[in-house]
């Protein structure tokens, strides 16, 4: 008995240590996947925290309880009502109270989920006035970025080859990352130059399709300086796995310096404040890129 107790204690300690190790590693690997870890990447934007709350605190317990309840019902039927345990089966086929319960309870569960789900959906939709606007265009097979308000012309962001990529970051690292200031609302406009791609950065809780002839928009506010990685998340062809997304979150001073180094105009951020729809930003884009002009032509394809 004592030995069993000790063994159990050791197992619990090992599991706790493993969990602690994973948590420690997860903190270390902000903005990128962690080898051997369970759970999602640590979040680095306010809406990402809300998403994780929705998943971990609302959805996961509901899913677990329902799965266990259904398992219990199955086992109960198997053992209590098999031929040996219950040789004389009952003949009734309806039970009004229970039919009302199994209709009403799922409706209530779904309504409860909807409260949190819709709140999150609207939070993503109601973007605060953006400080920086970046247009991300998906190409076969790389991303290109443009800062229309800051007069930074479109530049391409290619994958860093395997022999040059930092350890564990092949297919995540990109040569010319998107650069954004910390704690500022960043509006991302996405479009596709050829086929549908999807601009995704897990740590910001952002995943939005980049569709040819259409301009989508989303936003995030990065809370911490660092490097964040994502990947195209729409099957877009043979090199789908080789068009990584790298976002460099820097201080405002570093961002201004980067804008200057790109030949961009400073302090244009305020001018974009009232804009809520994607169209005007697209029409003011200086570079002659292929996609935005088509955005108003619904019958292009
Ligand atoms: Cu793609």
């Amino acid at each position: 008995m004592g030995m069993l107790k000790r063994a159990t204690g050791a197992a619990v300690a090992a599991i706790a240590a493993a969990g602690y190790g994973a948590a420690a590693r997860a903190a270390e690997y902000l903005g990128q996947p962690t080898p051997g870890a369970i759970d999602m990447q640590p979040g680095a934007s306010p809406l990402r925290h809300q998403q994780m709350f929705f998943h971990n605190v609302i959805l996961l317990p509901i899913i677990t309880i329902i799965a266990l309840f259904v398992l219990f019902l199955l086992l109960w039927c198997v053992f209590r009502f098999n031929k040996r345990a219950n040789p004389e089966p009952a003949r009734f086929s309806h039970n009004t109270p229970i039919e009302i319960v199994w209709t009403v309870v799922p409706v209530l569960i779904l309504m409860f989920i909807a409260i949190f789900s819709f709140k999150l959906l609207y939070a993503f939709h109601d973007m605060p006035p953006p400080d920086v606007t970046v247009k991300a265009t998906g190409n076969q097979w790389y991303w290109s970025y443009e800062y229309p308000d800051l007069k930074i012309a479109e530049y391409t962001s290619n994958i860093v080859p395997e022999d040059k990529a930092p350890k564990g970051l092949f297919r995540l690292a990109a040569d010319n990352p998107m650069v954004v200031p910390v704690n500022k609302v960043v509006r991302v406009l996405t479009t596709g130059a050829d086929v549908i791609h999807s601009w995704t950065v897990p740590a910001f809780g952002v995943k939005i399709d980049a569709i040819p002839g259409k301009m989508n928009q989303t936003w995030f506010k990065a809370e911490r300086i660092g490097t964040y990685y994502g990947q195209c998340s729409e099957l877009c062809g043979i090199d789908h796995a080789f068009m990584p997304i790298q976002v460099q979150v820097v201080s405002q001073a570093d961002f201004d310096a980067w804008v200057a180094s790109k030949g961009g105009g400073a302090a244009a951020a305020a001018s974009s404040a009232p804009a809520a729809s994607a169209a005007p930003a697209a029409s003011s884009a200086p570079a002659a890129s292929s996609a935005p002009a088509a955005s108003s032509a619904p019958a292009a394809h």
Side-chain angles (χ1 to χ4, degrees), residues 120-137:
L120 200 50
L121 207 60
Y122 281 109
F124 268 98
H125 185 262
D126 295 340
M127 174 169 49
D131 297 302
V132 178
T133 299
V134 189
K135 190 183 131 207
T137 305

Side-chain angles (χ1 to χ4, degrees), residues 11-27 34 36-39:
V12 169
I15 291 166
Y20 176 76
R25 278 205 308 277
T34 306
I38 303 176
D39 202 0

Side-chain angles (χ1 to χ4, degrees), residues 141 196-198 232 234 236 240 243:
W141 286 274
I196 302 177
H197 303 267
S198 179
C232 178
E234 189 73 73
C236 59
H240 164 66
M243 47 182 298

Side-chain angles (χ1 to χ4, degrees), residues 17-297:
Y20 176 76
R25 278 205 308 277
E28 198 178 312
Y29 283 84
L30 181 70
Q32 58 180 277
T34 306
I38 303 176
D39 202 0
M40 292 177 280
Q41 281 183 32
S45 82
L47 292 187
R48 180 56 174 168
H49 299 311
Q50 284 189 40
Q51 280 181 341
M52 286 165 95
F53 172 85
F54 181 52
H55 178 268
N56 291 342
V57 180
I58 308 292
L59 292 183
L60 217 51
I62 291 176
I63 293 165
T64 308
I65 290 166
I66 291 175
L68 289 176
F69 179 63
V70 171
L71 180 67
F72 161 75
L73 287 181
L74 273 172
L75 292 176
W76 192 40
C77 289
V78 166
F79 292 108
R80 174 66 186 79
F81 298 106
N82 63 39
K83 200 175 177 184
R84 215 175 314 142
N86 189 40
E88 277 293 318
R91 295 276 170 181
F92 70 89
S93 62
H94 286 282
N95 184 320
T96 308
I98 206 162
E99 282 164 24
I100 290 171
V101 167
W102 77 43
T103 308
V104 171
V105 170
V107 169
L108 292 177
I109 293 172
L110 289 176
M111 280 166 67
F112 177 75
I113 292 173
I115 292 170
F116 298 92
S117 173
F118 279 49
K119 223 173 92 183
L120 200 50
L121 207 60
Y122 281 109
F124 268 98
H125 185 262
D126 295 340
M127 174 169 49
D131 297 302
V132 178
T133 299
V134 189
K135 190 183 131 207
T137 305
N139 305 267
Q140 281 175 323
W141 286 274
Y142 59 92
W143 289 94
S144 55
Y145 300 114
E146 180 183 333
Y147 295 62
D149 297 339
L150 295 170
K151 307 275 182 285
I152 297 176
E154 188 169 32
Y155 64 89
T156 59
S157 184
N158 276 301
I159 186 169
V160 176
E162 188 162 16
D163 52 334
K164 298 213 174 67
K167 193 168 175 290
L169 291 175
F170 176 51
R171 283 184 274 186
L172 288 170
D175 57 0
N176 293 308
M178 175 195 273
V179 180
V180 297
V182 71
N183 282 322
K184 292 288 163 69
V185 176
V186 178
R187 166 169 55 183
V188 183
L189 304 172
T190 62
T191 190
D194 33 49
V195 299
I196 302 177
H197 303 267
S198 179
W199 198 83
T200 304
V201 179
F204 301 149
V206 166
K207 174 175 283 180
I208 187 154
D209 277 3
I211 302 168
K214 183 173 157 53
M215 190 71 79
N216 275 343
Q217 71 169 354
T218 187
W219 68 281
F220 65 87
K221 189 160 109 178
E223 290 168 336
R224 286 164 69 180
I225 289 173
T227 310
Y228 299 83
Y229 299 96
Q231 292 172 314
C232 178
S233 299
E234 189 73 73
L235 282 172
C236 59
I238 190 167
D239 280 348
H240 164 66
F242 299 88
M243 47 182 298
I245 295 158
Q246 181 174 338
V247 180
Q248 210 70 39
V249 176
V250 299
S251 68
Q252 184 65 49
D254 286 351
F255 180 70
D256 293 341
W258 177 80
V259 170
S261 78
K262 280 277 181 187
S271 69
S272 65
S277 88
S283 64
S284 70
S289 90
S290 55
S295 65
S296 60

